[in-house]
Structure formats: C-alpha cells, structure tokens
Amino acid sequence: GVMNKPRARFFLAIAVAVTFVMTILPGPANSQTACPPTGTFSDDVETVVPGYQMQTTRNTGGWQRFSPDPSASSPDTVWMALDDQPGDPTLTPIDHRLVLPPLDLSSTSLLTFRHNFDFARFPNASIIPAQFESGAVLEISADGGTNWEDLGSYITTGGYNGMVDPMASADQNPIRGQPAWVGTSNPVMSSDPSIGPNGRLEMMTANPVQVNLGQAIQTEFATTQLLNALIRFRLGGTFQILIGGIQGTGWGVDDITVTALIENCPPVAVD
C-alpha cells in the first residue's frame, strides 16, 4: 500500500499587544467632598457662650455682657460697649472689638443680630453739616485675625447709615473716614442719624441686621468654604469731649446667629 506522508502543519502565532491608557485628571491637593452646611451658631447672650475674644484700647468700657438692659430683644442681657469721653486712659481713641468664636462658613452662611446705638456726634445744623466722631463696623478675617475686611457691602438689612469724620479723634479714630453705623439708631428722621435722643432707648427688635457672609467669602477670599473664619463687632470712638455736640453712650447687640455652617466634616486625607 501507499503510505501518505503526514502533512506538516504550521501555526502562526500572532501576539497582539493591547495598551490601556489611564487618564488622571488633576485636582486640588487635600481635596474633600463639600460638607452640607447644616450647622448654626446662636447666642441670645443670656448664658455664657465660650470662645469669644474681647479686645480694647481702654481700661474700662470694653465689650461685656450687660444685664438688665430694657432694650434687649431677648429677655434682658446684651453685649454692650461704651462710647465714653474722655475715657480711661485719657487721650486714647476707642477701639472696642468683640470677636465671635471661630466659624466654618459656607457659601450660604448668613449672620443676623439686633442692636441699637448712640455715638458721639455734632448734630446737623443750618450752616454746618453733621459730623460723626464715633461709629461701628462689622469685619471678617480669614487668617486668624491678622488682616480684616469690612462687611458693609454685604449687609442686606439694616446697613451702615453714614461715615465717620475723617479727622475724628485728632486723626486717631481707627475707623475714621469709613462707612459705618453712626449717630443714633433712633433718629427723628431716618435721613439724618445725627438728630435724636441721647441714649440707647428704642427696643433692639426695631433694628434687625442681616449679613450675607456666603457672598462675602466668595468675593473677598474666592472660596465657597472658609474654615475658622473670625467675625468682629468694632466700635471706633473719640476721646474728645464734644463742646456743643452729643456725647455718645455706646452700642448694644443681642441675638447673634450665624446659619449654614459646615460641621462634622471628615478629616482631610493627606498624600
């Protein structure tokens, strides 16, 4: 018989190289998912809330919890600072600062409070316009208190009503020439805060204030979350006894609330 020679079989091995490309998008260092802003800071001043800082250039008259105050919005204790002349020590401008405890602000945080005030001034006359020798402002810091920004532009209810005399306290008032709360919060005519009763007489419920802190941190610091933010109430006053003017009595603040705070955030992972 005939033997058929088996055919050689050839196999061609084809190696296919598959390349996987992984693209990693850059992101901010130490980033984390934004925490929902559900926290609230609230102080009705009736009990001691820890964490405040009180700073002043005077030996007396700085910020303190004061009771009973008949003008309080709840029930009878307020934060109060005096606008007194010549003061102790004399020839020393007033710089009373009440700093809230550090707060973790979000893009929707709001500050609200109620207040009344009566600051040193020369009332408006037929020949001479009003001059405001003392006044009050709100400020915010993002760096632990080294630098401060004024919050006047972000007050949506009950904003500043005038400007402190640029030459107040012989050019030494710390807020001279600035927009501020000036004169009286209880004027005879709303258009002229220089004319009104001497003293913090009207109920603080008549003077609510609201501040858009969320907008402030976005505009001033280019962020939607500001941890450990500091906010302060600042009274800048004169040491001069005003001949022919109205001596101030001071500033009272009650029912301070900050809403939409960041809280219970997980620790930030560090690579």
Side-chain angles (χ1 to χ4, degrees), residues 42-257:
S42 182
D43 182 15
D44 64 3
V45 203
E46 299 305 314
T47 58
V48 175
V49 174
Y52 277 92
Q53 300 176 55
M54 285 79 78
Q55 305 158 345
T56 183
T57 53
R58 295 286 187 84
N59 293 328
T60 59
W63 286 101
Q64 62 176 317
R65 295 173 64 252
F66 174 75
S67 179
D69 187 318
S71 70
S73 58
S74 71
D76 63 2
T77 305
V78 303
W79 282 107
M80 182 187 71
L82 299 181
D83 182 19
D84 57 338
Q85 299 82 28
D88 176 23
T90 58
L91 304 180
T92 303
I94 294 170
D95 193 358
H96 297 323
R97 290 152 292 177
L98 177 68
V99 185
L100 299 188
L103 300 171
D104 294 341
L105 303 179
S106 75
S107 62
T108 56
S109 292
L110 294 176
L111 164 67
T112 59
F113 62 92
R114 300 176 186 274
H115 71 158
N116 58 15
F117 53 85
D118 175 45
F119 298 135
R121 61 198 181 272
F122 291 103
N124 193 18
S126 58
I127 301 176
I128 303 174
Q131 292 180 316
F132 302 103
E133 304 306 307
S134 299
V137 295
L138 281 178
E139 297 174 324
I140 185 170
S141 174
D143 58 9
T146 301
N147 297 286
W148 295 86
E149 301 295 335
D150 187 81
L151 284 168
S153 298
Y154 308 100
I155 301 175
T156 56
T157 300
Y160 297 162
N161 61 346
M163 180 178 292
V164 177
D165 180 1
M167 296 181 290
S169 290
D171 298 332
Q172 296 180 60
N173 186 318
I175 61 171
R176 63 190 180 279
Q178 294 185 30
W181 287 296
V182 296
T184 174
S185 54
N186 188 26
V188 174
M189 297 184 296
S190 60
S191 60
D192 184 1
S194 72
I195 299 177
N198 190 202
R200 298 187 300 105
L201 303 180
E202 86 282 12
M203 296 296 294
M204 292 186 190
T205 52
N207 303 313
V209 177
Q210 179 171 281
V211 188
N212 190 339
L213 297 178
Q215 185 60 57
I217 66 171
Q218 292 176 80
T219 302
E220 300 295 333
F221 309 116
T223 184
T224 57
Q225 295 189 6
L226 183 59
L227 306 185
N228 296 311
L230 297 179
I231 298 166
R232 73 181 180 186
F233 295 75
R234 187 180 195 185
L235 195 169
T238 183
F239 57 79
Q240 296 167 314
I241 297 176
L242 308 185
I243 306 301
I246 297 175
Q247 301 300 132
T249 54
W251 191 12
V253 177
D254 203 2
D255 291 336
I256 303 168
T257 300

